[in-house]
Amino acid sequence: MVSKTDETCPAAAEDTGEGGERGCDIKREAAHSSGMPLVNGDSGHSHTEAEDHNEKGEGETRADDGNDQEVIVIQDTGFTVKMHAPGIEPFDLQVSPQEMVQEIHQVLMDREDTCHRTCFSLQLEGNVLDNFSELKSIEGLQEGSNLKVVEEPYTVREARIHVRHIRDLLKSLDPSDSYNGVDCNSLSFLSTFTEGDLGENGKRKRKGSELEQIDCTPPEHILPGSKERPLLILQPQTKDAKPLQCLKVLTMSGWNPPPGNRKMHGDLMYLYVVTAEDRHVSITASTRGFYTNQSTAYSFNPKPANPSFLSHSLVELLSQISPTFKKNFAALQKKRVQRHPFERIATPFQVYSWTAPAVEHAMDCVRAEDAYTSRLGYEEHIPGQTRDWNEELQTTRELPRKNLPDRLLRERAIFKVHSDFAAAATRGAMAVIDGNVMAINPGEETKMQMFIWNNIFFSLGFDVRDHYKDLGGDNAAYVAPTNDLNGVRAYNAVDVEGLYTLGTVVVDYRGYRVTAQSIIPGILEREQEQSVIYGSIDFGKTVVSHPKYLELLEKTARPLKIQKHNVLNDKSEEVELCSSVECKGIIGNDSRHYILDLLRTFPPDLNFLPVEGEELPEECTIMGFPKEHRHRLSCLRQELIEAFVEHRYIVFMKLAALQLMQQKANKQEKECPAVTENSGSSPADATESSKALSEDGKAEGTLCGLDQTKNLAESVASEDETVDPKSKEVILNACKAVGSVSSTSFDIRFNPDIFSPGVRFHDNSCDEVEKQKQLLKDAAAFLISCQIPSLIKDCVDHTVLPMDGATLAEAIHQRGINIRYMAKIVEYVSKSQARQQLDHIHKLGITELITRSAKHIFKTYLQGVELSGLSAAISHFLNCFLSSFPNPIAHLPTDELVSKKKRNKRKPRHLGNVDNTAWASTTPQELWKNISNETKSYFNFTIECESVDQAVERYGLQKISLLREICVKSGIQILLKEYNFDSRHRPTFTEEDILNIFPVVKHVNPKASDAFHFFQSGQSKVQQGFLKEGCELINEALNLFNNVYGAMHVEICACLRLLARLNYIMGDNNEALNNQQKAVLMSERALGVDHPNTIQEYMHLALYCFANGQLSTALKLLYRSRYLLILVYGEDHPEMALLDSNIGLVLHGVMEYDLSLRFLESALTINGKYHGTKSLKVAMSHHLVARVYDSKAEFRSALQHEKDGYTIYKNQFGENHEKTKESSEYLKYLTQQAVALQRTMNEIYKNGSNASILPLKFTAPIMSSVLEQLNVINGILFIPLSQKELENLKAEVHRRQALHDTFRMAEQEDSAEGTGTESVHGKSPAIVETSTAQASA
């Protein structure tokens, strides 16, 4: 797979700047996308980038699998060149032959001492180097060559780029772009908690290891049981929150553009500057550089001032004019390069923050210019200004994909264009709703208008032409775009050559849904009827087909499980289709075959689609299905289809194996009745009989039987003539039983047009249609009877641990369950026997039902608000939703701004025809009544509360979490301050508290397929215990991810987390700390500072900090983690038990016994609730509490807890198990201590001050033993094994692997059971805590 000729250290291998093309392209992309020059090796360590660059790439190797046999190893040895830049000493720069010249430009633009230059060329012996050539192709460039930086004359474009770059440098530490959600900036607060402790490659600058200096006291709100929920701490404002001010104003002058006579003197543009000393200066940007002129605000005099300070760089000029600028700019750059690169790189997609502090609005010429030109992405770097999005999206798909380097290049291009397109579409959609774009059909009413902006087509989510009249009107028009997007996602993932989809982004903004699509060339010049050559434009009345489309769609049919079928058109002729009828095929003027309107790619969900005369299976009817939904477009999710087919495949294999075994048994007798009896059996019987089969104790026999079946199935499918007819019959019967479309092989497909209104089938295909209907009913039943129970089971086992609405929705979606089943899940939980252990799921489910219903109401509420009343309307809605204040009054926008004359002339342009002030009359009672009606009508769930306080009381919710959920779901941004929700005298929110409203964006996420395969195989290697091989594969995956996504992406974050865990297990604590630090930064930046994933990353980082002896940092990180979990969910969550155990252990380690007890006892309570009082987690908690009491010399309490733990171990494992023995030993020790203490006390009572006292042994905790306990509770084990045990384990792993492959089942968790010398686990308590690796007391 991967060949490494020499081992590079993990640090180097993992650096994003690694090796040749890989490294260089990432940086090129990242630099391009962020508008910020990026450095080679930028994800590297925390010393300055220049050094980083120097250390990179020596003896670097890399391997690509072109096709699986050939392995290309490129020996990529870097070399050093000497850089000569004007005004500074020459310096060395480490470069790699695969890099482009342009990257040296980027490095220089980022280096502290050369960052102010943008307009220069690089020269080798007087020859100018071409920016886009690779270094290896340049003659004479070698180790020790001298490269000269030569200043070039400016053009208008270069001057603008220079000013923009200087502005970026001045703003580099200013967080306002992150709060405002622009240019893919986002927040990160890790450095405020580590205060640079993780710098110097994780070695802390300590004066000896003095424990006394550590202040471990947690803030009041973090202590268990605290009722405070402060919000200010979410975004801690650092001491240097106000960045250094270098200038007061830097802006374009009002004298621009230069008049003709000055143009001919070389003037390019004029700037106006107010220095920090309050000096007003006019500056000319000319071809030769920048100089001060004699203009003032009111008189134009372009002559150079005296002195004119002509400088090639604006920074040099300003440094001469203003001493403050000189001092502060230098300090600012020093700080900038000290920040971790991951705090600076742009994220691929914009992340919005739901809170922000009050930020001063400063003057900014570049921002002002951007707002009034339709700059999108970086048009000024692209000739011809606007981009042809469709051409870019389709061309990247056509790139070659024969071998790995080609595929990486292609995937990177696809990803880059997609993220640019998503950003452009979002900007356009906001412009459309804000009324800044002219409609292409301005005469029609506002709801019907369509828009084109920047080569993107925008339409609104309303049913304008009664297109969806029979399907649910506006409700159907609202969900159609997301269904369509899911279809686009599915077809893109199948990636068939020659079949094209449109770039699609769905944006929800200010209560409107906007669909943004790239434009098929030529489609606007033709009528739709002429263009469509495949599919139907009127839901199946007129249908056409096309051989080329059938051929292309046939290739997607198998992976998407779509059945080819015939439908009747209006003339009752049969037309063959290989998709739903709505799917339209259009050949563009570019001769590409496009498909669009993929809203019915997946089959309908019959639980929400009542059809006359059709009965659903019993599992569904018991649960009250089918239900009438708001629209008739409810589809099953792709994940469900795949799970269903997987399930059927297992049934098919077991059925066939069973029949083969019966045949064998009946060989002695001549007849074989059993087979024929079973032939018509249903999958349900099959499951029963297969149970009998597997319980027969003949696991090995079964394995052979299944292998045999598999071979037989393959030979029957390939129409092998030698197969014995009886065996053939077995396969035929099994196929028939599971509803396969083919009678000779397992192949389940769905016809997406079944139950579509208006679609007719021929009478001869009656049989076929009935089979398809049955399949759909089975799939609907499968969701109810298998998927929901399996989700609940995973929640009881805590293999799924959602902490907020988003993670709950993700867990539900992964199992193919739609959100509309949320009420069913909540009902399931409340009836479950493990109701107590599912308390967190119940709370989250209720929160989701309430906030989603509130979001539905908020959507229509906002449509009736005009722009001037937006903040008043949103604050009024939040008051009605969350405040205990009984009668909040809405403040309508004041009338003195509205001139009376103007008012009568023309009504403001307004989407929708709602009364503009209707929102002001909403009351809390009315809103909660609507919410309760909405949960009833949409989810069919009854919420029994009439106000927010009743909801909080009844369901144990917390208002701050409800606020976070509604803000995140609706895109509201509020002021960061403490809100008093419970005051009955004044409303919680005022209009000043509403800072912004952001779009909520859905788009396709292109994947890095090769990287993902490497990552998966790395994971399975690790689970089998081959840590080193796993580590290498994951390092390789990381390289490939970096290559496709750039340095910052959610999947890279997962990769880094796993890598850190492996580093830790293999004993490399420093490297673990390094990788985990990157994972935390990336999670904060790409997912959000309070995303559940970030909470867990903080926890892992705390463990590695502790292992590196950075105790106070570890505590700060754990406190942060606990604060975030309290804010996002509350205290009563299974993950909180783990967090509190961690905090308690660390506090025990630093001898803060009383505090430690508070956290450990809280963990004990929570573990008891969520794992049951008899569980091993609880035993472990008892033991930890006992240890603290032991250290406090309170032996009676210690004994009590250890006894409880001992009882659990004894009941679970019996007397002779190692854990029970350990516990019993510890009990003996505690008893001795207690007796000794009692003796001493008695002695003192008896003899008073003359008593002769033996010194008692008090056990202060040893760090190594605390660390061992931390490892155990975090699921990391070190198991000492002999060679023989290892061999046995490996054999066992291989045997399991064989079983696993045969069944094609989902990853079986037990394959991870303690294999290898060390093993990694998620949270499987039984395995973790039964291990032998517990610290002896």
Side-chain angles (χ1 to χ4, degrees):
M1 185 93 76
V2 182
S3 128
K4 288 254 163 97
T5 49
D6 58 5
E7 286 296 324
T8 50
C9 73
E14 197 271 325
D15 199 315
T16 46
E18 183 180 11
E21 296 148 37
R22 259 185 216 164
C24 73
D25 281 282
I26 304 153
K27 283 161 325 229
R28 192 158 51 252
E29 295 296 346
H32 182 61
S33 62
S34 60
M36 177 211 86
L38 203 71
V39 182
N40 285 21
D42 207 7
S43 78
H45 316 301
S46 47
H47 37 225
T48 65
E49 271 86 319
E51 299 164 18
D52 215 17
H53 195 76
N54 294 344
E55 288 181 7
K56 188 192 86 10
E58 291 175 88
E60 177 65 74
T61 5
R62 91 163 220 241
D64 288 330
D65 39 357
N67 48 38
D68 290 333
Q69 291 75 35
E70 66 169 320
V71 176
I72 317 155
V73 178
I74 301 170
Q75 190 72 29
D76 172 15
T77 45
F79 57 92
T80 312
V81 292
K82 209 168 198 56
M83 304 297 304
H84 299 263
I88 57 168
E89 290 296 306
F91 57 91
D92 287 336
L93 192 62
Q94 172 84 27
V95 292
S96 135
Q98 265 77 25
E99 282 177 16
M100 291 197 185
V101 175
Q102 188 185 12
E103 280 169 75
I104 301 182
H105 273 258
Q106 297 290 12
V107 174
L108 294 176
M109 280 165 68
D110 202 60
R111 258 182 78 103
E112 193 182 336
D113 49 5
T114 54
C115 63
H116 55 278
R117 305 192 176 280
T118 59
C119 184
F120 58 87
S121 64
L122 295 173
Q123 298 188 1
L124 176 66
E125 293 160 7
N127 300 324
V128 178
L129 304 185
D130 168 30
N131 265 351
F132 294 101
S133 54
E134 288 192 344
L135 298 187
K136 60 182 177 197
S137 65
I138 296 169
E139 275 181 48
L141 184 62
Q142 61 209 28
E143 180 70 37
S145 290
N146 288 307
L147 275 186
K148 213 167 162 210
V149 175
V150 180
E151 297 173 343
E152 292 290 334
Y154 282 98
T155 59
V156 174
R157 178 172 174 269
E158 283 292 348
R160 291 174 96 100
I161 287 176
H162 185 74
V163 172
R164 176 179 291 270
H165 179 64
I166 300 304
R167 169 264 197 177
D168 285 343
L169 291 176
L170 291 174
K171 280 191 63 173
S172 55
L173 294 180
D174 178 13
S176 55
D177 278 356
S178 303
Y179 289 120
N180 296 332
V182 282
D183 285 344
C184 289
N185 288 306
S186 58
L187 298 162
S188 160
F189 294 109
L190 176 64
S191 51
T192 43
F193 300 101
T194 55
E195 292 167 2
D197 281 355
L198 304 180
E200 307 305 317
N201 286 343
K203 301 214 182 2
R204 187 170 171 210
K205 305 173 277 296
R206 283 187 302 186
K207 315 170 196 64
S209 55
E210 309 121 52
L211 287 179
E212 300 78 69
Q213 296 186 344
I214 299 178
D215 176 24
C216 306
T217 327
E220 200 54 40
H221 60 266
I222 290 200
L223 289 170
S226 161
K227 289 282 169 276
E228 271 182 87
R229 297 286 180 265
L231 189 57
L232 276 169
I233 304 140
L234 175 61
Q235 294 171 343
Q237 301 304 307
T238 43
K239 298 182 267 305
D240 54 346
K242 261 195 88 55
L244 301 161
Q245 192 186 29
C246 300
L247 291 174
K248 286 192 177 165
V249 178
L250 162 65
T251 175
M252 294 291 168
S253 155
W255 298 115
N256 279 319
N261 63 331
R262 289 308 305 167
K263 230 179 185 169
M264 296 164 78
H265 280 83
D267 291 9
L268 302 172
M269 63 182 183
Y270 304 117
L271 303 170
Y272 174 66
V273 170
V274 181
T275 65
E277 296 88 354
D278 244 351
R279 184 173 160 202
H280 295 238
V281 189
S282 286
I283 293 175
T284 301
S286 75
T287 50
R288 292 164 52 211
F290 296 82
Y291 61 85
T292 55
N293 61 39
Q294 297 176 29
S295 299
T296 65
Y298 307 109
S299 73
F300 179 60
N301 181 356
K303 297 263 186 319
N306 192 10
S308 71
F309 300 118
L310 174 66
S311 314
H312 191 265
S313 133
L314 187 56
V315 171
E316 288 169 358
L317 172 66
L318 292 168
S319 300
Q320 287 173 298
I321 298 173
S322 159
T324 317
F325 177 87
K326 188 173 181 178
K327 184 174 109 220
N328 287 357
F329 186 78
L332 189 70
Q333 295 324 307
K334 199 165 235 64
K335 264 190 168 160
R336 177 181 66 87
V337 293
Q338 279 166 0
R339 287 176 70 195
H340 195 287
F342 281 11
E343 295 178 72
R344 300 163 24 202
I345 306 169
T347 55
F349 300 104
Q350 185 65 56
V351 177
Y352 298 103
S353 163
W354 63 280
T355 54
V359 183
E360 286 176 20
H361 191 60
M363 262 180 140
D364 180 344
C365 61
V366 176
R367 183 190 61 219
E369 184 190 16
D370 288 352
Y372 293 110
T373 54
S374 77
R375 182 186 75 93
L376 239 145
Y378 269 77
E379 268 83 5
E380 71 270 21
H381 297 305
I382 293 171
Q385 296 303 303
T386 52
R387 294 168 66 169
D388 182 345
W389 291 109
N390 190 66
E391 189 54 35
E392 285 193 39
L393 287 162
Q394 313 311 347
T395 318
T396 50
R397 290 215 158 271
E398 289 165 346
L399 290 170
R401 43 175 145 179
K402 294 280 186 293
N403 52 24
L404 185 68
D406 278 356
R407 282 196 300 277
L408 289 176
L409 217 84
R410 175 175 185 266
E411 283 174 350
R412 174 168 61 235
I414 289 175
F415 182 74
K416 183 78 187 76
V417 174
H418 262 284
S419 55
D420 286 356
F421 178 69
T426 308
R427 245 178 103 147
M430 289 166 73
V432 163
I433 298 300
D434 290 338
N436 304 336
V437 180
M438 179 80 177
I440 51 177
N441 50 346
E444 307 205 32
E445 74 166 292
T446 37
K447 276 188 178 183
M448 299 178 75
Q449 290 179 349
M450 292 170 283
F451 306 83
I452 288 181
W453 179 83
N454 194 14
N455 280 329
I456 305 173
F457 174 78
F458 297 92
S459 53
L460 299 169
F462 294 111
D463 182 21
V464 282
R465 298 198 158 65
D466 286 344
H467 192 62
Y468 295 106
K469 196 166 80 183
D470 307 337
L471 298 168
D474 276 353
N475 288 315
Y478 187 78
V479 298
T482 45
N483 280 5
D484 181 38
L485 181 66
N486 289 336
V488 170
R489 204 173 272 144
Y491 277 102
N492 279 355
V494 176
D495 208 4
V496 167
E497 247 174 278
L499 188 64
Y500 297 89
T501 55
L502 300 184
T504 308
V505 175
V506 178
V507 180
D508 290 311
Y509 178 61
R510 283 181 50 195
Y512 297 99
R513 172 157 283 183
V514 186
T515 311
Q517 289 170 313
S518 61
I519 302 170
I520 298 179
I523 190 167
L524 298 168
E525 294 114 59
R526 306 179 280 193
E527 279 299 311
Q528 201 178 14
E529 288 77 16
Q530 305 164 344
S531 319
V532 174
I533 58 162
Y534 172 89
S536 161
I537 56 168
D538 48 17
F539 289 100
K541 293 186 190 63
T542 49
V543 191
V544 286
S545 187
H546 188 281
K548 180 67 182 163
Y549 271 102
L550 284 175
E551 176 200 325
L552 287 169
L553 287 167
E554 187 115 35
K555 295 177 186 165
T556 64
R558 190 167 195 125
L560 296 178
K561 320 279 185 279
I562 294 173
Q563 174 162 26
K564 206 171 189 180
H565 56 280
N566 290 340
V567 298
L568 296 178
N569 64 12
D570 47 356
K571 305 189 184 68
S572 293
E573 301 156 349
E574 285 202 19
V575 179
E576 190 175 25
L577 294 178
C578 200
S579 63
S580 66
V581 284
E582 288 87 352
C583 167
K584 303 172 190 40
I586 295 179
I587 298 183
N589 285 359
D590 53 2
S591 308
R592 293 189 178 109
H593 292 75
Y594 292 92
I595 48 169
L596 53 158
D597 288 350
L598 308 173
L599 56 146
R600 280 192 199 261
T601 302
F602 299 110
D605 178 356
L606 296 192
N607 289 327
F608 286 90
L609 191 75
V611 181
E612 274 181 44
E614 294 291 344
E615 272 293 301
L616 282 184
E618 189 184 357
E619 300 98 299
C620 302
T621 46
I622 291 173
M623 298 289 276
F625 290 114
K627 288 202 177 72
E628 190 64 64
H629 201 47
R630 283 200 183 157
H631 54 79
R632 301 179 67 79
L633 289 179
S634 12
C635 302
L636 296 170
R637 292 183 65 86
Q638 189 173 10
E639 298 92 334
L640 184 90
I641 302 292
E642 284 172 359
F644 176 70
V645 172
E646 191 85 356
H647 171 75
R648 279 284 160 106
Y649 180 70
I650 294 166
V651 172
F652 166 79
M653 291 301 281
K654 287 181 174 171
L655 257 179
L658 191 71
Q659 292 186 16
L660 279 176
M661 283 164 78
Q662 284 179 348
Q663 266 191 14
K664 261 190 197 159
N666 298 347
K667 274 251 169 85
Q668 289 80 11
E669 305 158 32
K670 284 287 166 270
E671 299 83 43
C672 186
V675 177
T676 44
E677 275 169 21
N678 207 352
S679 62
S681 66
S682 71
D685 306 339
T687 332
E688 286 310 307
S689 47
S690 62
K691 271 187 196 154
L693 169 83
S694 50
E695 283 161 16
D696 215 13
K698 300 179 188 162
E700 295 306 319
T702 317
L703 194 54
C704 307
L706 285 166
D707 269 342
Q708 203 179 338
T709 315
K710 195 174 178 185
N711 297 337
L712 173 66
E714 280 163 8
S715 47
V716 172
S718 62
E719 297 179 0
D720 186 346
E721 295 304 319
T722 57
V723 179
D724 142 50
K726 284 220 168 98
S727 311
K728 210 175 217 168
E729 192 184 352
V730 167
I731 298 294
L732 297 184
N733 289 336
C735 284
K736 189 171 165 193
V738 296
S740 164
V741 291
S742 146
S743 55
T744 55
S745 66
F746 175 83
D747 187 6
I748 285 192
R749 303 192 188 191
F750 294 87
N751 174 346
D753 285 331
I754 300 276
F755 299 126
S756 289
V759 175
R760 299 175 305 138
F761 298 100
H762 200 283
D763 301 344
N764 344 358
S765 53
C766 210
D767 216 19
E768 187 58 36
V769 169
E770 279 312 310
K771 263 168 78 177
Q772 279 294 333
K773 285 184 177 174
Q774 190 51 49
L775 206 52
L776 281 180
K777 291 175 187 172
D778 291 347
F782 172 73
L783 193 155
I784 299 288
S785 59
C786 289
Q787 293 306 84
I788 294 182
S790 91
L791 170 74
I792 303 294
K793 181 183 169 301
D794 287 345
C795 292
V796 174
D797 302 342
H798 302 300
T799 41
V800 171
L801 257 186
M803 295 184 204
D804 69 346
T807 40
L808 177 64
E810 195 184 327
I812 289 175
H813 284 157
Q814 274 168 358
R815 284 157 187 73
I817 305 166
N818 308 73
I819 293 291
R820 55 178 173 270
Y821 287 95
M822 185 66 84
K824 280 286 162 271
I825 294 170
V826 173
E827 279 166 33
Y828 230 104
V829 166
S830 34
K831 290 179 191 154
S832 159
Q833 282 142 359
R835 166 70 183 82
Q836 194 184 0
Q837 291 171 33
L838 290 166
D839 196 38
H840 59 302
I841 303 292
H842 188 261
K843 274 186 203 164
L844 283 174
I846 296 284
T847 306
E848 276 296 86
L849 290 169
I850 291 176
T851 49
R852 279 175 184 273
S853 302
K855 181 185 80 170
H856 295 169
I857 294 159
F858 183 60
K859 182 187 82 187
T860 31
Y861 171 93
L862 269 190
Q863 288 177 5
V865 180
E866 57 182 37
L867 198 52
S868 58
L870 213 48
S871 54
I874 295 173
S875 61
H876 180 63
F877 181 89
L878 290 178
N879 279 327
C880 293
F881 181 42
L882 293 171
S883 174
S884 305
F885 182 60
N887 44 357
I889 296 149
H891 301 284
L892 285 165
T894 44
D895 277 350
E896 66 262 22
L897 296 177
V898 186
S899 108
K900 294 282 175 283
K901 272 187 203 157
K902 204 169 159 193
R903 213 157 168 189
N904 309 335
K905 278 193 184 160
R906 177 173 173 228
K907 273 194 151 166
R909 167 186 184 279
H910 187 70
L911 292 162
N913 40 11
V914 202
D915 166 19
N916 292 351
T917 55
W919 58 266
S921 55
T922 308
T923 64
Q925 297 72 20
E926 186 193 339
L927 177 64
W928 274 89
K929 189 162 172 255
N930 290 345
I931 288 177
S932 136
N933 294 344
E934 179 70 11
T935 46
K936 185 77 192 127
S937 73
Y938 191 89
F939 294 104
N940 198 28
F941 187 83
T942 314
I943 284 193
E944 295 154 29
C945 42
E946 288 152 24
S947 71
V948 66
D949 294 321
Q950 282 184 17
V952 166
E953 189 57 39
R954 188 185 158 85
Y955 297 111
L957 313 175
Q958 49 175 23
K959 289 184 179 179
I960 191 100
S961 303
L962 287 170
L963 173 65
R964 175 180 176 270
E965 289 290 347
I966 190 80
C967 287
V968 170
K969 285 180 174 57
S970 314
I972 303 168
Q973 187 185 49
I974 56 168
L975 181 64
L976 184 70
K977 69 170 204 186
E978 301 309 345
Y979 291 97
N980 179 359
F981 293 101
D982 302 328
S983 159
R984 302 193 65 78
H985 307 297
R986 58 160 50 134
T988 307
F989 301 92
T990 66
E991 5 181 335
E992 272 62 57
D993 296 333
I994 309 300
L995 295 184
N996 211 336
I997 184 152
F998 289 127
V1000 177
V1001 186
K1002 300 179 178 69
H1003 53 79
V1004 177
N1005 259 322
K1007 290 275 174 271
S1009 51
D1010 289 292
F1012 192 63
H1013 295 318
F1014 270 105
F1015 184 61
Q1016 280 185 317
S1017 31
Q1019 274 181 315
S1020 62
K1021 278 275 184 250
V1022 168
Q1023 281 179 336
Q1024 295 165 29
F1026 302 107
L1027 295 188
K1028 199 159 185 309
E1029 292 93 324
C1031 204
E1032 278 180 10
L1033 283 168
I1034 285 161
N1035 259 318
E1036 189 58 30
L1038 187 67
N1039 277 329
L1040 302 185
F1041 275 135
N1042 274 323
N1043 210 337
V1044 173
Y1045 296 139
M1048 172 85 47
H1049 193 272
V1050 183
E1051 285 173 23
I1052 300 180
C1053 177
C1055 211
L1056 284 166
R1057 177 200 318 151
L1058 184 53
L1059 208 54
R1061 199 156 173 132
L1062 286 172
N1063 293 142
Y1064 181 65
I1065 285 172
M1066 291 157 79
D1068 190 348
N1069 292 355
N1070 259 341
E1071 199 47 40
L1073 193 60
N1074 238 326
N1075 283 327
Q1076 187 57 34
Q1077 180 188 9
K1078 291 176 193 169
V1080 174
L1081 285 169
M1082 206 170 289
S1083 182
E1084 285 193 307
R1085 295 282 322 279
L1087 289 167
V1089 287
D1090 56 354
H1091 190 278
N1093 194 60
T1094 308
I1095 300 180
Q1096 289 182 318
E1097 302 294 8
Y1098 264 99
M1099 240 158 83
H1100 296 312
L1101 184 61
L1103 174 65
Y1104 308 148
C1105 277
F1106 187 88
N1108 271 311
Q1110 304 179 12
L1111 309 190
S1112 61
T1113 306
L1115 270 174
K1116 279 185 205 156
L1117 296 170
L1118 286 168
Y1119 291 157
R1120 171 70 172 172
S1121 208
R1122 189 174 209 277
Y1123 164 71
L1124 290 174
L1125 182 49
I1126 290 175
L1127 178 84
V1128 165
Y1129 173 84
E1131 240 184 354
D1132 186 15
H1133 190 280
E1135 191 74 347
M1136 191 59 95
L1138 179 59
L1139 245 174
D1140 283 352
S1141 304
N1142 273 305
I1143 296 176
L1145 267 168
V1146 177
L1147 286 169
H1148 182 200
V1150 295
M1151 298 193 245
E1152 291 275 356
Y1153 301 136
D1154 293 332
L1155 277 174
S1156 170
L1157 274 177
R1158 287 185 71 168
F1159 285 101
L1160 289 174
E1161 283 172 339
S1162 147
L1164 178 60
T1165 317
I1166 297 173
N1167 272 333
K1169 171 173 176 179
Y1170 285 105
H1171 296 275
T1173 44
K1174 301 279 182 292
S1175 80
L1176 296 170
K1177 287 243 184 246
V1178 174
M1180 184 69 186
S1181 278
H1182 276 304
H1183 175 66
L1184 295 179
V1185 174
R1187 284 172 40 129
V1188 182
Y1189 275 124
D1190 169 19
S1191 301
K1192 287 181 71 179
E1194 293 181 24
F1195 298 117
R1196 187 165 295 163
S1197 310
L1199 271 166
Q1200 190 47 56
H1201 278 287
E1202 192 55 44
K1203 267 183 196 149
D1204 291 347
Y1206 173 75
T1207 319
I1208 296 173
Y1209 285 135
K1210 196 169 102 183
N1211 294 342
Q1212 295 270 14
F1213 298 141
E1215 292 277 0
N1216 299 323
H1217 191 276
E1218 198 156 344
K1219 294 297 284 181
T1220 323
K1221 285 183 186 162
E1222 261 179 37
S1223 182
S1224 147
E1225 286 297 308
Y1226 190 49
L1227 274 173
K1228 278 182 200 151
Y1229 160 78
L1230 286 174
T1231 317
Q1232 287 163 4
Q1233 287 287 72
V1235 171
L1237 180 67
Q1238 197 55 50
R1239 275 200 201 117
T1240 311
M1241 297 308 282
N1242 293 347
E1243 175 77 12
I1244 292 174
Y1245 287 136
K1246 206 161 72 186
N1247 300 339
S1249 55
N1250 314 336
S1252 56
I1253 307 170
L1254 286 167
L1256 273 176
K1257 290 194 196 107
F1258 284 101
T1259 47
I1262 310 155
M1263 282 305 156
S1264 60
S1265 97
V1266 173
L1267 185 59
E1268 268 185 57
Q1269 299 289 358
L1270 277 171
N1271 286 335
V1272 170
I1273 61 170
N1274 286 299
I1276 295 177
L1277 295 191
F1278 299 97
I1279 310 174
L1281 290 178
S1282 69
Q1283 201 50 43
K1284 189 174 171 208
E1285 288 173 305
L1286 259 177
E1287 295 308 316
N1288 295 348
L1289 269 171
K1290 287 193 176 160
E1292 171 68 4
V1293 169
H1294 285 311
R1295 199 182 71 74
R1296 287 205 174 133
Q1297 203 61 28
L1299 258 165
H1300 161 101
D1301 291 342
T1302 312
F1303 283 157
R1304 292 202 327 177
M1305 282 176 84
E1307 293 275 337
Q1308 291 172 342
E1309 284 156 15
D1310 52 333
S1311 69
E1313 258 181 42
T1315 48
T1317 41
E1318 304 104 346
S1319 97
V1320 191
H1321 283 293
K1323 303 184 177 63
S1324 45
I1327 300 168
V1328 170
E1329 292 179 6
T1330 52
S1331 93
T1332 55
Q1334 197 175 8
S1336 49

